[in-house]
């Protein structure tokens, strides 16, 4: 742990990317999708080392999750459905079936069917973005009305109890109010095929009859996903069943995700989109029933709908496409799925922020948008830096190459996270390097017990500081500074006087965030 705290920024990005990739890979058993998530959504600095470490971490995490999933000879496993993974544990077997394999239905696409794919992209983008909007208003209301002040623990417990009561009531009442129907011959034959992992629930129905709603609500997420991704002949769900289930799950997820003990949103959004896509497929499928044409399977539309809703939620079309393809094993779906996910992202961006960006904004993290705001056009780097307050330029917190350990301790008493190293703090502010807070703290701890602490500190400072850190002239347009931060994934820039290397101040992502808020308010 101490090594991670004192590591360089570039290596820290590698650890973060590998952690994200392994988390997604283990959750969905999708090693390549885990790397795509880390690359597209979380990593601001990408290199060959980052890619290889993320792929290695994701592959190991996926294999570990596969290995620890116990079932009959590990021939199948269920996504987030641990109650169904009983069976003999074979230490020499790694079950590696996709999460929603089912019976592969390779599509024969016509160009007019791509219009339905585009429609699912629009609907999925609306679904994902509306989910973010509702959660945003709910969290803002909760923070404003009742999540402050005394009795905080009691409020959270009461909130979780009410949410659990609401979710349980909806999940129990819907199947109780839903009618029973008899299984068809094709559905009974599909149940014999153990490789498809389909599951009907009779609930209160007599033998030979099933409850469609119970077959969706009284299952784990993995089993429900397999049911929704089944081809229409293997499992038939009516359009009202799919729409009511999708809306009910959407409402439950909107309430549950914003609580003090939230459930995961990714699985719920994927299921909502799959239900919506399957319903759309049931409606449009007869339109393509004419001589010489093969009707598309509703599995195709369910997969497209689930991917579109996830892309509208995460705004990561490449990662979502990789994840769903790995989960289903349908490689033929790659091209139309990526088109669908891209449309979903474009539509969702017009409505709301992504869920990740919303959380950053809600918690006041210095989140930077891809392009600089218009208010940056009339400002320079000098106007952004931390050392400028109400038009007065204060001396930056820096350390001289000849300073001792006492001055380093004074710097550590401030709230700054990085310090320029200059030639002489008293007379010559020529930039020599940059040292971040955690490296300076580690250096102080290491040299404080030395026989000559100041001499040891100066030697350690020369060895640990980052030589030639990124710099910017104080007269550079603020727009270019903003674009540089975003494109290069920077965390800080040292500001120097025009034409010299004399330190003027430092610009951080937080400074850019504060400048954005201040100048937009003034405009």
């Amino acid at each position: 742990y101490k090594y991670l705290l004192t590591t360089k920024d570039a290596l820290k990005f590698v650890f973060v990317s590998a952690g994200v990739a392994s988390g997604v890979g283990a959750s969905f058993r999708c090693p390549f999708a885990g790397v795509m998530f880390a690359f597209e959504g979380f990593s601001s600095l990408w290199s060959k080392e980052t890619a290889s470490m993320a792929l290695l971490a994701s592959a190991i995490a996926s294999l570990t999750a596969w290995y620890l999933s116990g079932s009959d000879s590990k021939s199948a496993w269920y996504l987030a459905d641990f109650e169904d993974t009983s069976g003999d544990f074979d230490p020499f077997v790694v079950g590696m079936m996709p999460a929603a394999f089912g019976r592969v239905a390779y599509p024969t696409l016509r160009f007019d069917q791509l219009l339905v794919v585009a429609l699912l992209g629009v609907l999925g983008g609306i679904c994902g973005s509306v989910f973010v909007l509702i959660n945003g208003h709910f969290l803002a209301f909760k923070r404003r009305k009742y999540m402050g002040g005394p009795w905080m623990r009691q409020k959270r417990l009461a909130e979780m109890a009410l949410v659990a009561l609401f979710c349980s009531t909806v999940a129990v009442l819907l199947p109780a109010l839903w009618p029973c129907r008899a299984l068809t011959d094709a559905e009974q034959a599909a149940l014999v095929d153990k490789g498809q992992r389909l599951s009907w629930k009779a609930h209160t129905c007599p033998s030979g009859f099933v409850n469609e709603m119970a077959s969706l609500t009284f299952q784990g997420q993995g089993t429900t996903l397999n049911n929704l991704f089944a081809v229409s002949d293997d499992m038939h769900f009516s359009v009202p069943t799919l729409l009511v289930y999708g809306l009910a799950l959407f409402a439950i997820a909107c309430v549950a995700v914003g609580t003090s003990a939230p459930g995961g949103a990714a699985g719920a959004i994927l299921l909502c989109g799959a239900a919506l896509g399957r319903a759309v497929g049931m409606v449009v499928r007869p339109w393509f029933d004419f001589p010489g044409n093969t009707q598309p399977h509703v599995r195709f539309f369910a997969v497209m709908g689930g991917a579109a809703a996830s892309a509208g939620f995460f705004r990561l079309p490449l990662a979502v496409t990789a994840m769903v393809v790995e989960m289903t094993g349908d490689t033929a779906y790659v091209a139309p799925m990526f088109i669908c996910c891209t449309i979903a992202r474009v539509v969702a961006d017009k409505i709301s922020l992504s869920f990740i960006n919303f959380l950053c904004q809600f918690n006041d993290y210095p989140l930077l948008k891809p392009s600089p705001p218009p208010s940056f056009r009339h400002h320079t780097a000098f106007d952004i830096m931390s050392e400028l307050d109400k038009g007065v330029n204060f001396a930056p917190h820096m350390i001289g190459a000849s300073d001792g350990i006492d001055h380093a301790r004074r710097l550590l008493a401030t709230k700054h996270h990085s310090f320029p190293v200059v030639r002489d703090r008293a007379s010559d502010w020529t930039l020599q390097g940059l040292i971040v807070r955690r490296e300076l703290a580690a250096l102080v701890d290491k040299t404080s017990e030395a026989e000559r602490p100041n001499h040891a500190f100066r030697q350690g400072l020369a060895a640990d500081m980052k030589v030639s850190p990124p710099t910017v002239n104080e007269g550079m347009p603020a727009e270019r500074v903003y674009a540089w931060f975003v494109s290069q994934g920077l965390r800080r820039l040292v500001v120097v006087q025009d034409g010299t290397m004399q330190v003027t101040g430092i610009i951080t992502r937080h400074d850019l965030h504060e400048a954005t808020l201040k100048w937009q308010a003034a405009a």
Side-chain angles (χ1 to χ4, degrees):
Y1 179 72
K2 187 175 182 181
Y3 169 72
L4 294 179
L5 290 179
T6 58
T7 191
K8 302 292 184 180
D9 282 345
L11 194 55
K12 185 178 180 181
F13 287 139
V14 173
F15 287 126
V16 171
S17 301
V20 171
S22 61
V24 175
S27 299
F28 297 98
R29 276 64 159 187
C30 301
F32 185 68
V35 178
M36 290 296 99
F37 261 90
F39 167 70
E40 194 174 14
F42 294 91
S43 181
S44 58
L45 181 65
W46 198 257
S47 63
K48 292 181 179 179
E49 182 185 19
T50 306
S52 60
M53 291 296 293
L55 182 57
L56 179 63
S58 183
I60 293 175
S62 301
L63 285 173
T64 303
W66 265 317
Y67 180 76
L68 295 178
S69 298
S71 62
D72 294 337
S73 296
K74 296 188 179 179
S75 61
W77 56 269
Y78 296 87
L79 172 68
D81 192 9
F82 299 108
E83 69 273 15
D84 287 328
T85 57
S86 59
D88 297 332
F89 183 84
D90 190 340
F92 301 102
V93 176
V94 179
M96 298 178 62
M97 288 186 69
F101 186 78
R103 179 156 62 90
V104 178
Y106 293 109
T108 302
L109 277 181
R110 292 166 48 90
F111 283 111
D112 50 359
Q113 292 173 10
L114 289 177
L115 296 177
V116 182
V117 173
L119 173 63
L120 288 175
V122 173
L123 295 177
I126 294 174
C127 177
S129 58
V130 170
F131 184 87
V132 176
L133 281 177
I134 293 176
N135 268 275
H137 289 294
F138 176 67
L139 289 174
F141 170 79
K142 187 173 71 172
R143 173 183 285 184
R144 184 174 64 251
K145 291 295 184 180
Y146 65 92
M147 274 305 168
W151 304 97
M152 191 66 185
R153 180 177 299 178
Q154 290 79 1
K155 290 178 182 178
R156 289 184 172 178
L157 290 174
E159 177 195 39
M160 288 187 287
L162 290 174
V163 170
L165 178 63
F166 169 74
C167 297
S168 302
T169 302
V170 173
V172 171
L173 282 181
L174 282 179
L177 299 175
W178 218 253
C180 302
R181 72 166 180 85
L183 283 173
T184 65
D185 294 339
E187 290 171 338
Q188 291 179 353
L191 290 177
V192 180
D193 184 0
K194 299 298 184 181
Q196 295 196 61
R197 313 194 302 277
L198 306 178
S199 176
W200 286 108
K201 290 291 185 181
H203 194 39
T204 58
C205 302
S207 177
F209 288 77
V210 294
N211 187 312
E212 291 185 2
M213 186 62 68
S215 299
L216 295 176
T217 57
F218 287 171
Q219 311 273 16
Q221 285 188 356
T223 307
T224 303
L225 192 64
N226 278 284
N227 291 347
L228 290 173
F229 284 176
V231 296
S232 55
D233 296 334
D234 297 336
M235 288 194 94
H236 175 79
F237 293 99
S238 65
V239 174
T241 301
L242 294 168
L243 292 179
V244 172
Y245 168 76
L247 290 174
L249 181 60
F250 188 87
I252 290 174
C254 286
V255 174
V257 168
T259 60
S260 302
I269 286 295
L270 180 63
L271 290 173
C272 289
L276 176 63
R278 192 177 179 95
V280 171
M282 294 292 295
V283 172
V284 305
R285 192 184 182 199
W287 299 355
F288 304 102
D289 186 12
F290 50 84
N293 183 60
T294 303
Q295 281 189 348
H297 289 285
V298 292
R299 171 183 169 88
F300 171 74
F301 298 108
V303 171
M304 293 297 131
S310 298
F313 178 72
F314 288 111
R315 313 297 161 81
L316 307 174
L318 183 61
V320 170
T321 300
M323 180 186 74
V324 177
V325 167
E326 285 190 280
M327 289 174 62
T328 60
D330 294 336
T331 56
Y333 291 177
V334 171
M337 189 185 301
F338 186 70
I339 294 174
C340 186
C341 291
T342 303
I343 294 174
R345 174 178 179 171
V346 172
V347 172
D349 283 339
K350 301 293 184 182
I351 301 175
S352 70
L353 294 171
S354 70
F355 189 67
I356 299 169
N357 290 351
F358 160 73
L359 290 178
C360 291
Q361 187 181 76
F362 183 78
N363 292 288
D364 295 324
Y365 296 152
L367 176 67
L368 302 182
K369 296 182 178 180
S371 57
S375 56
F376 273 58
R377 294 175 182 172
H378 309 294
H379 296 276
T380 63
F382 183 81
D383 303 324
I384 306 174
M385 60 187 187
S386 306
E387 288 72 23
L388 187 66
D389 186 16
K390 297 180 180 180
V392 179
N393 181 208
F394 294 95
H397 290 83
M398 53 190 176
I399 185 169
S402 58
D403 284 333
I405 198 171
D406 292 335
H407 180 67
R409 291 195 177 100
R410 287 192 291 269
L411 291 179
L412 293 175
T414 67
K415 296 181 179 180
H416 292 270
H417 293 278
S418 55
F419 307 97
V421 180
V422 297
R423 185 171 297 167
D424 190 333
R425 190 164 50 88
S427 59
D428 189 357
W429 290 4
T430 302
L431 181 66
Q432 302 293 301
L434 183 78
I435 188 166
V436 297
R437 184 184 190 90
R438 61 177 178 274
E439 294 175 354
L440 183 62
L443 180 60
V444 169
D445 291 340
K446 184 172 64 175
T447 59
S448 58
E449 301 297 330
E451 183 178 350
R452 300 169 58 191
N454 287 333
H455 178 72
F457 175 79
R458 295 186 190 103
Q459 287 184 331
L461 179 64
D464 292 348
M465 70 177 181
K466 181 179 181 180
V467 182
S468 300
T471 61
V472 61
N473 291 331
E474 59 185 10
M476 177 177 283
E479 284 183 319
R480 292 180 59 186
V481 176
Y482 191 104
W484 198 10
F485 259 87
V486 173
S487 62
Q488 300 298 319
L490 300 177
R491 303 183 67 183
R492 61 189 68 85
L493 273 176
V494 180
V495 183
V496 296
Q497 293 181 4
D498 294 346
T500 71
M501 290 299 289
Q502 297 292 309
V503 175
T504 304
I506 283 186
I507 297 176
T508 64
R509 298 178 75 90
H510 182 76
D511 295 328
L512 287 173
H513 182 64
E514 291 293 325
T516 301
L517 298 178
K518 180 175 65 176
W519 294 341
Q520 285 182 345

